Structures are given as C-alpha cells and as structure tokens.
Amino acid sequence: MNAEKFDHQAIEKKWAERWIAEKTFEPDIEHAEKPYYNLMMFPYPSAEGLHVGNVFAFVGSDLHARFMRAQGYDVFEPMGFDAFGIHSENFAISINTHPGRLIPDNIRNFTHQLKRTGNMYDWSHAVETTDPAYYKWTQWIFIQLFKAGLAYQKEAPVTWCPSCNTVLAAEQAEDGACERCGTLVEQRNMRQWFFKITAYAQQLLDNLAGIDWSEKTKSAQRRWIGRSEGAEVDFPLAAYAEKLRVFTTRPDTLWGATYMVLAPEHALVEAITTPDRQQAVQDYILEAGRKTAIEREDATREKTGVFTGAYAINPVNEKQIPIWVSDYVLMTYGTGAIMAVPAHDTRDFEFATEFDLPIVRVISAGDDDTEMIEAYSGEGIMVNSGPFNGTSSTESKVKVIDWLEEKGIGERQINFRLRDWCISRQRYWGPPIPMIHCKACGVVPVPEDQLPVVLPYIEDFKPDGSGKSPLARDESFLHTTCPECGGPAMRETDVNDNFLDSAWYFFRYPSADRDDMVFDPDLTEKWLPVDMYIGGNEHAVLHLMYTRFITMALHDMGLISFSEPFKIFKAHGLLIKDGSKMSKSKGNVINPDEYLDNYGADTFRTYLMFLGPYQEGGDFRDAGITGVRRFYDRMWRYTRQTTFSDEPATNLGLLALLHGKTKEVTNDLAALQYNTAIARLMELLNGLQNQETHHREAIRQLLQLAGPFAPFITQELWVQSGGEGMICDAPWPIYDESLIVFETVEYVIQINGKVRDRMELPTDTAQPDVEAAAFARERVQQWTNNKNIIKKIFIPNRLLNIVVKG
Ligand code: ANZ
Ligand code: ZN
C-alpha cells in the first residue's frame, strides 16, 4: 500500500474483513446493556440492483446508528429482503424467468452491493421473507389473527387489477391505478380474506399523539383513518314496515332532508322499487357496477341517478320524501344510504338541481331572502327546524342527537373511512394462506406444527385472470385432508399480500436464529419497540399502518407488552435526477457501483449526504463528488504528512475551533442534518491545517467526528495516528461550551479597498464591535486620522472596508 496516497480500495478491503472477523457490528443480542434498535425499511431486491436512492436512504440511517453507537449504545442495525410480492413476480414474468430462480440471484447481488456501502449491518441477523423459515411465521401470525377473530373471509366489492390479475388492498390503488403496475383498477365483487384493522381504528388514531413521528406522516394516517362523528337516523318507509337507516355528520340539518339516496348495491333497493321503476333501476345498477370507487368518489363528476318509485318519511317533520338510487353514495361507508340535504350539502345540491328535487334551507347564514345558487355547508342559526328554530347549529348538533335518542329515532355514531385490509392475492409469489376448506368443518387453520405450508414450485406460475391463484392449478397442493375430521379437504390457494411479510419483519430480526418460535419474548422486550425507524413517506398509510395494526394485535394477544412498533419514525427525502424522482419506472436510476469503484465508499457516502438535507432529499449530479474526494485526500495527506505534537492543545483559538465544530457536528448529527455537518467538518480540517502547532488530539477528534460519514478512511487514519481498536467504539468527543466563545476569525481591514491591517476577533462579533476594534488599532488610525469617513462596508467574519476622503 502506498502510504502517501489514499488508496480506498485497499483500505476498504482491509477493514471490511477485520470488521467481519471481529464481529464489530454484531451487538450481543442477549446481553447488550444499552440496546438501541436502528431500523431502516428493508429493500425489495429488484433485478436492477441497489440504486443510489436506496443508498442515500440507508447511509442516512447508518449515520444515525453510528452516532448512537458513539454515544455508548449497543446499536443493532439489521438488514433483510422483502422478496415476495407482485413486483418481483411481474418482473420475473417480463423477463420470462421463474421468481424462484430470479430472487436468490437478486438477493446475492444486493447483499454484495450493500456490503460495499460501509453500513454497519449485523448480517448474522438478516432475514429474507421468501425463506420458509421466515414465512412459516408469517403464516403463524395469520393463524393467530384468525384465532383472535381478526382474519375473516367475506364477499365484498374489492379493487381488482386487470393487469396483475389480482385483488389489491384499498391502499394499494393510487388515483385509480394499481400501485404495482400503474394499470387502471376495476371494482369486482369477490370472496376475499380480510384483516380486521378497523377494530383498531380508534387506537390507531389515538396513539398517534404519543409517538415521535414526522407530522406529515401522522396527518396522512389521520386522513386515511378518517374519523367522523355524527348520528345514525331511522327513516320509516311509506309502504313497508322496514326502516331505512342513514349516517349523517349533520344531524342539525335533518329538517332539510328532502329526499333519500341508496347506494346501487344497497340490500333494500330491489324490495322497495315499484314495478314500473324496476327496469330503469336495474339498468342503472348495471351501469354503476362498471365504475370504480375512485370514479364514484370524484366530486366533480356529473350526478346520475334513478327514482325507485318509493317514499320514506322524514321522522322529524313527517314529510314524505322520494327515495333515489345514485352511485355517489357508496355501499362501503356508513350505512350505504343517506338523507339528502340539498340546501347544505354540495353533492346533494347538484343532484337536486339536476333532478328538480326540493331544496329547503334549514341553516341560516343571514341571507334567507336570496335564492340559493349553491349549498351552504357552514354553521348558522337553525330555521324551519321545529323545536330547534332559532338555536345555533354548532351547539344544537349535540342536542339534536340527544333528542333523537330520547325519541328513539336515532343514535350517536362514529364512522371511520378506514376499511378492513384485504389480504388475499390470486398470485403465486407469496406465502400461501395457511387455511383449509372442509365441507364438513368449514374453514380450518393448518395445525401449527405443520407450518410452513411451503409454496410449491410451479413452472407456469402466471396468473390467469380466473380470479383464482395459480396454486389452484396444482392438484397435489390443492387436495389435502381436514385436520379436524380427516376427510378430504382443499387448501386455500390464495397467497398473502406481500405487505403482511413486511408488517412484522422487525420482530424477527433479533430472533432471526430461533427456529422454534416467531420471536423470543425476552429479546423482543429488550430490543423493541424500535428506537429509530427511517424510511420513505410513500409508506405512510400502507406499511406504517399495517405494522401498527399487527403490533396492536400481538399486544392484545398477550405476546408483547407494547402496542406501537416504532418510537421514532423519520421520513428521508428523495433523490431527484433530471427533474424527477429517481425510480425504476422513470428509467433514471443510477447504479452506485461505478461511484464506489472510482471514488470509494467514504466519498460516495459523504457526497450523497451532502446533496441536500437528508429529510428533504436532493438533486443527484456528479459534479460535486470530486470536491468531496479532495476533502478526504487532504485529510489523508494532512494526517500522514504532519508532525503532530502530543502536548495538549492550549491555544484558545484552536480550542474554540475544535469545541465549536464538535458542538455543531454533534447537534447536526443528532438532528439528521447531515449536509451541514459535512460543511463543518471541512471547515474544521481547514482550520486545523492553518494552525502553527498541530496537535494529535485535534486531528484525532476530527477523525472521530468524520467517522460516521467515512468509516474506512477514518478507521485507517485513526490507527495510523496512534489510536487503539475501532474508532466507532471511541467515546464521542465532548465539547466545552465555555471555550467556544473564543473561536475567532480573521478580519481583513481595508482602507479605500486596500488591505492595511488584519485582526483576530471572536466569530460573529457584531458590526459596531468590529468597527470599534478596528478604529482602536494604530495602523487604522494612521490611515483615517483627519479624514472624513464616507462609509463602511462590512462582510461578517471576513472584512471591514473603510472608505475615507480628504
Ligand atoms: C346529511 C348531510 C347534510 C351531510 C349536510 C353532510 C352535510 P364524512 O364527513 O366523510 O363522514 N354520507 C354518508 N354515508 C355516505 C355514503 N355511504 N356515501 C356517500 N356519502 C355518504 O361524510 C359524512 C356525510 O357524507 C354524511 O352526512 C352524509 O351526508 C354523507 F349538510 O348527511 B351528510
Ligand atoms: Zn373437516
């Protein structure tokens, strides 16, 4: 090794081997005294390999881990692969290979790439969701949810992707398109497996107050959970004994309900429709069935509907009101029926205008004489509202509900937008749902000692759009015996949504080597909840909601003591390339390998973190990387070629510099403000190089502060400058606030633009004090005495130019 040159390849190889040999990054899982669980969202191992967006996210998380380790924590930083799922499967189909062959190759490649980034992963606890030893427990969790009444089958309108040939969860369609392949989704009625996440709606909402997550993520979750307070009210039918129940958030507008609307799928539609209206109603239902939930919820769409011929009675004023069917009412929310209040609800107003239905104002905004040209949805004074006339709608909302309850017409009701999680997929590449269908016994879970239900190898694994998984075509998989009666039975052939694999993986890492249990209870209590979770905000309502649900369910089963999985969640920013988010679908992905080859991991890590604030992201350009490399070359030369004094530093300027930069870097690292920390490190190196006496303790302190960013070079120079052991285990430098005030900068003093003097002053001295100090100097006085001061030009921490005349 040429000691005078920073040979990153040799140094990386040397230390990577040492760290593996010494198990440097494998905390003592059982006995660690100060456990700190640093988790990052594990990658899906795509064929293209790691892209720099992944590296950006992972390095930022690793910096936090290294920082916490330097604070004395036993940091656990595991890594794994989210390798099941439609994404992998679709890619396998596109290149005409089998996912069972593709994925292991991808994982190998990812592992190799990840090892080069210098992140301190504990590879002894890695997990792969496609490993039967892992998905055995995914299936086990399914069974526990089933036993707890949280997994059930039902026929329901579900989101269907006609390209992926499978159902999706509601969260997995964005703006009407499949989250996986971008195809417009359809609505289908199918029998599916669901997880009862709605049982936790209130807790999912309430707990948000107690966790340290970015506000953006929390509000996305709040919106998705969508809690609404209101009432359910019964409307008697004019011609039948049955009643029509509606959900409303505005019981104060009840007197203005002039018609009712049922969702096309509502169970009463057929029964109440009069014979002369049957044909029209049936035609309309067919038409509505072709629309997706997204289209139906689109408020800008023109309203359509049909009259059923039937009437209901508004229970508060006994008026007969017509019942219509329209697709703007959804079967999946509330009761699937509404009372329409056109005067105060925009959609109802449009509908009433379209079909010439009466509009009765019941909330006054003080302009009752003017004709309504749009709905008034605000609060006001109740009018035309019987006993409530003259009262404020805001206050009466609660009173109206009390009154309804007293009269037995209605009751308080809270509704959530959140839907149960549709978990079954008619695909191949996932863990089979561990259930058995028996004609005699019904649905029976696979006995736990028979897990895993191994995903059989099926050469033709492609989905066929029949609504059944490819597993249904494998006769030997399909047919089994019932664990309860021993009779012939059929296996469930759908596989689990890949989001279930990732909904619990962080429970597995500490216990990754336990074959006999899902997770070791003691290890789990020791390491979980996760101390810091970092990942993309695109998972705000998917993965992050599912993980919270699974954690709550495991808690309520008595398996764990906590009910929130992640104490802190921070979303990293995204890397932009040529103006758009770097992503495989945009084709602007950059492979990190050539950068790692040419510049080395230290430079590449630092460069990525220098691109912008970690939590906001940045624009990936190659331009700056050589500058970062020069910084490390300079660090190398300075450390190697300088004669250092072993005396403690006493120079106040040097101490101020050292302590000041230590403070700044420490605070920046704690706040994940990595880009500014790098700037401070560069200033520190400059400052040290400018000293007259070079102290060993000062350079070693710089190496430590730079250590999280550049683990290889700092480790090598640490040893070369006399350090013992691993630099990442040396306690983090402590700064003394009282020394920082002495940090100085050099001011240039110009008279009429010519440099006449220089002086040292504390950093950030205010302009009047700088001027006072300047005018106190002999040389300045020489040039300014008996002259008129015209103006003073001041550049903080750099320069004072005095313009004089005469
Ligand atoms: C009467 C009313 C009057 C309403 C008014 C609103 C304003 P959120 O806030 O989202 O919970 N609604 C109820 N069930 C529905 C369904 N299945 N499909 C479509 N709309 C439905 O919305 C609750 C309101 O949305 C309810 O309150 C109901 O209209 C409507 F001035 O009832 B409201
Ligand atoms: Zn049976």
Side-chain angles (χ1 to χ4, degrees):
M1 187 191 306
N2 175 359
E4 298 321 313
K5 201 175 154 277
F6 168 32
D7 176 354
H8 62 260
Q9 271 157 357
I11 289 168
E12 284 174 24
K13 183 165 181 300
K14 168 179 165 187
W15 289 107
E17 282 169 8
R18 281 280 291 281
W19 291 330
I20 290 170
E22 295 183 21
K23 301 189 191 305
T24 309
F25 303 135
E26 297 174 25
D28 184 341
I29 292 286
E30 265 171 54
H31 307 105
E33 271 169 28
K34 285 180 79 184
Y36 190 91
Y37 192 165
N38 185 72
L39 182 71
M40 60 191 73
M41 286 184 183
F42 66 163
Y44 134 68
S46 65
E48 296 89 341
L50 206 58
H51 78 69
V52 298
N54 300 133
V55 184
F56 173 81
F58 293 168
V59 167
S61 167
D62 182 65
L63 284 175
H64 180 71
R66 288 176 176 274
F67 178 66
M68 294 312 286
R69 180 178 179 134
Q71 310 302 313
Y73 288 93
D74 298 300
V75 176
F76 179 43
E77 180 171 284
M79 187 30 76
F81 298 101
D82 187 17
F84 264 141
I86 297 180
H87 220 84
S88 311
E89 198 178 341
N90 283 355
F91 187 80
I93 293 173
S94 77
I95 61 165
N96 209 11
T97 181
H98 196 276
R101 278 190 297 274
L102 174 75
I103 292 301
D105 283 349
N106 292 357
I107 289 179
R108 242 184 322 267
N109 184 35
F110 258 70
T111 307
H112 172 73
Q113 288 186 301
L114 282 167
K115 284 186 172 163
R116 300 188 61 191
T117 60
N119 291 345
M120 50 174 222
Y121 299 129
D122 176 353
W123 287 103
S124 71
H125 286 85
V127 303
E128 294 170 14
T129 57
T130 44
D131 181 352
Y134 178 88
Y135 71 70
K136 167 181 181 175
W137 301 113
T138 307
Q139 293 172 334
W140 183 87
I141 285 175
F142 187 104
I143 292 171
Q144 307 317 305
L145 291 170
F146 178 78
K147 287 181 176 164
L150 293 170
Y152 66 96
Q153 270 186 301
K154 78 169 175 200
E155 166 123 4
V158 288
T159 308
W160 171 268
C161 172
S163 167
C164 291
N165 277 317
T166 181
V167 300
L168 302 172
E171 296 87 345
Q172 293 157 13
E174 280 165 27
D175 298 330
C178 171
E179 178 238 5
R180 287 292 166 206
C181 73
T183 307
L184 287 182
V185 297
E186 298 167 0
Q187 205 77 31
R188 280 201 188 180
N189 263 323
M190 289 174 69
R191 191 168 174 78
Q192 295 296 321
W193 282 97
F194 290 87
F195 283 163
K196 216 185 256 176
I197 189 171
T198 53
Y200 288 92
Q202 189 65 51
Q203 196 182 349
L204 285 166
L205 194 63
D206 291 344
N207 283 14
L208 287 175
I211 49 181
D212 181 5
W213 287 25
S214 36
E215 206 36 56
K216 210 170 139 200
T217 316
K218 286 196 197 183
S219 56
Q221 294 218 343
R222 280 193 198 100
R223 255 184 319 226
W224 188 259
I225 297 166
R227 184 182 193 275
S228 289
E229 265 180 55
E232 283 191 358
V233 185
D234 286 322
F235 282 62
L237 291 168
Y240 296 87
E242 247 165 304
K243 287 181 176 158
L244 203 50
R245 182 159 265 236
V246 301
F247 171 68
T248 176
T249 47
R250 292 292 303 270
D252 53 312
T253 64
L254 243 170
W255 285 262
T258 54
Y259 65 100
M260 305 192 74
V261 186
L262 303 183
E265 302 84 358
H266 196 285
L268 280 180
V269 172
E270 216 190 301
I272 63 165
T273 301
T274 54
D276 58 316
R277 303 295 305 155
Q278 284 291 354
Q279 191 58 49
V281 169
Q282 267 171 30
D283 290 347
Y284 185 78
I285 292 174
L286 265 178
E287 196 186 308
R290 285 194 280 268
K291 295 197 183 110
T292 64
I294 318 283
E295 284 175 80
R296 287 176 57 169
E297 281 180 274
D298 178 0
T300 62
R301 210 166 44 95
E302 206 167 294
K303 300 285 171 296
T304 58
V306 277
F307 178 42
T308 61
Y311 290 85
I313 294 162
N314 185 333
V316 297
N317 58 18
E318 307 293 328
K319 291 208 172 110
Q320 280 223 358
I321 56 176
I323 305 174
W324 285 65
V325 173
S326 173
D327 62 10
Y328 81 90
V329 175
L330 304 175
M331 195 56 224
T332 47
Y333 190 66
T335 64
I338 65 158
M339 64 175 206
V341 184
H344 304 291
D345 179 280
T346 306
R347 291 165 308 173
D348 298 346
F349 186 89
E350 282 169 21
F351 192 88
T353 314
E354 178 76 31
F355 295 104
D356 225 358
L357 293 157
I359 299 173
V360 176
R361 191 190 320 246
V362 291
I363 307 291
S364 164
D367 58 351
D368 294 11
D369 301 333
T370 52
E371 200 203 330
M372 295 192 93
I373 49 162
E374 58 179 8
Y376 172 66
S377 57
E379 309 287 338
I381 300 299
M382 291 176 70
V383 293
N384 296 321
S385 296
F388 289 92
N389 279 341
T391 66
S392 121
S393 66
T394 325
E395 285 159 26
S396 291
K397 211 178 269 178
V398 179
K399 292 189 189 134
V400 170
I401 303 178
D402 291 340
W403 183 80
L404 291 170
E405 286 188 338
E406 252 165 58
K407 300 200 133 205
I409 307 173
E411 60 212 33
R412 243 179 206 85
Q413 176 69 34
I414 290 160
N415 264 331
F416 294 92
R417 289 244 151 235
L418 186 68
R419 297 275 75 92
D420 278 342
W421 174 12
C422 176
I423 193 77
S424 41
R425 296 290 176 275
Q426 294 72 49
R427 297 287 300 225
Y428 171 67
W429 195 235
I433 290 178
M435 291 288 155
I436 291 169
H437 301 271
C438 169
K439 279 226 164 66
C441 313
V443 190
V444 184
V446 171
E448 288 171 25
D449 60 7
Q450 290 174 26
L451 295 177
V453 177
V454 175
L455 179 68
Y457 180 85
I458 299 180
E459 186 54 42
D460 178 17
F461 63 92
K462 292 179 199 63
D464 59 11
S466 63
K468 280 197 179 140
S469 154
L471 294 183
R473 305 194 294 255
D474 181 338
E475 297 285 322
S476 62
F477 176 83
L478 182 62
H479 298 286
T480 183
T481 49
C482 171
E484 271 175 25
C485 70
M490 309 249 262
R491 283 192 192 279
E492 170 64 58
T493 55
D494 283 358
V495 298
N496 279 307
D497 177 10
N498 144 252
F499 275 99
L500 178 60
D501 307 328
S502 57
W504 74 279
Y505 75 112
F506 49 94
F507 282 100
R508 185 66 186 163
Y509 278 137
S511 308
D513 43 15
R514 295 298 301 260
D515 295 335
D516 55 334
M517 53 173 78
V518 58
F519 47 74
D520 179 293
D522 295 334
L523 293 184
T524 304
E525 292 302 320
K526 188 179 187 70
W527 290 95
L528 281 91
V530 167
D531 293 283
M532 171 65 105
Y533 195 23
I534 290 181
N537 206 40
E538 69 272 23
H539 292 294
V541 294
L542 289 153
H543 170 65
L544 288 172
M545 192 80 86
Y546 299 147
T547 50
R548 296 183 63 216
F549 159 65
I550 293 290
T551 306
M552 287 172 190
L554 293 175
H555 170 267
D556 290 356
M557 291 169 197
L559 293 171
I560 50 174
S561 69
F562 50 92
S563 53
E564 281 294 333
F566 315 121
K567 285 187 214 161
I568 308 180
F569 170 74
K570 296 284 174 218
H572 59 73
L574 297 175
L575 282 190
I576 306 288
K577 169 79 181 160
D578 307 327
S580 57
K581 176 191 159 183
M582 202 180 284
S583 77
K584 282 162 199 149
S585 55
K586 299 230 165 61
N588 59 356
V589 170
I590 290 172
N591 187 313
D593 288 339
E594 61 172 297
Y595 294 93
L596 291 166
D597 289 342
N598 296 339
Y599 298 97
D602 294 327
T603 299
F604 191 51
R605 290 165 66 90
T606 309
Y607 171 63
L608 286 177
M609 294 299 103
F610 208 24
L611 286 174
Y614 181 59
Q615 292 175 84
E616 286 160 38
D619 206 342
F620 189 89
R621 287 166 267 101
D622 298 5
I625 196 164
T626 50
V628 175
R629 171 68 199 214
R630 274 200 300 274
F631 167 62
Y632 286 118
D633 285 334
R634 210 146 47 78
M635 180 187 281
W636 179 268
R637 283 195 305 273
Y638 175 64
T639 315
R640 298 277 308 137
Q641 297 170 357
T642 307
T643 311
F644 290 104
S645 154
D646 285 317
E647 296 297 310
T650 50
N651 174 319
L652 287 184
L654 172 60
L655 287 173
L657 173 74
L658 208 49
H659 287 254
K661 295 303 165 197
T662 302
K663 175 182 177 179
E664 288 171 327
V665 172
T666 305
N667 291 345
D668 282 353
L669 277 170
L672 314 187
Q673 280 161 13
Y674 302 135
N675 58 330
T676 50
I678 295 165
R680 301 293 92 82
L681 291 169
M682 291 176 169
E683 288 161 10
L684 177 55
L685 178 59
N686 285 345
L688 293 187
Q689 287 186 299
N690 287 337
Q691 299 297 314
E692 262 167 43
T693 314
H694 301 276
H695 292 270
R696 190 176 306 280
E697 66 178 353
I699 181 61
R700 288 164 55 98
Q701 190 151 330
L702 167 62
L703 293 174
Q704 270 194 281
L705 296 175
F709 292 93
F712 296 102
I713 187 176
T714 56
Q715 175 65 52
E716 176 65 24
L717 292 176
W718 175 255
V719 171
Q720 292 198 22
S721 59
E724 298 264 321
M726 298 305 168
I727 188 170
C728 58
D729 287 326
W732 192 251
I734 291 175
Y735 57 86
D736 180 346
E737 195 85 49
S738 69
L739 289 170
I740 297 173
V741 290
F742 290 105
E743 191 181 343
T744 58
V745 286
E746 187 188 67
Y747 268 92
V748 169
I749 306 173
Q750 296 179 336
I751 313 292
N752 289 350
K754 289 215 174 68
V755 179
R756 298 299 185 190
D757 202 359
R758 290 168 193 273
M759 63 181 176
E760 290 266 313
L761 283 179
T763 305
D764 296 332
T765 304
Q767 181 173 355
D769 298 331
V770 175
E771 288 173 11
F775 284 108
R777 297 175 75 85
E778 213 176 307
R779 300 218 35 194
V780 175
Q781 285 169 4
Q782 270 175 24
W783 288 96
T784 55
N785 270 350
N786 303 321
K787 304 238 163 88
N788 283 331
I789 313 286
I790 308 290
K791 66 174 171 181
K792 290 165 251 172
I793 299 158
F794 177 71
I795 303 175
N797 294 326
R798 294 209 4 226
L799 171 131
L800 180 67
N801 180 11
I802 304 163
V803 181
V804 297
K805 215 176 163 183

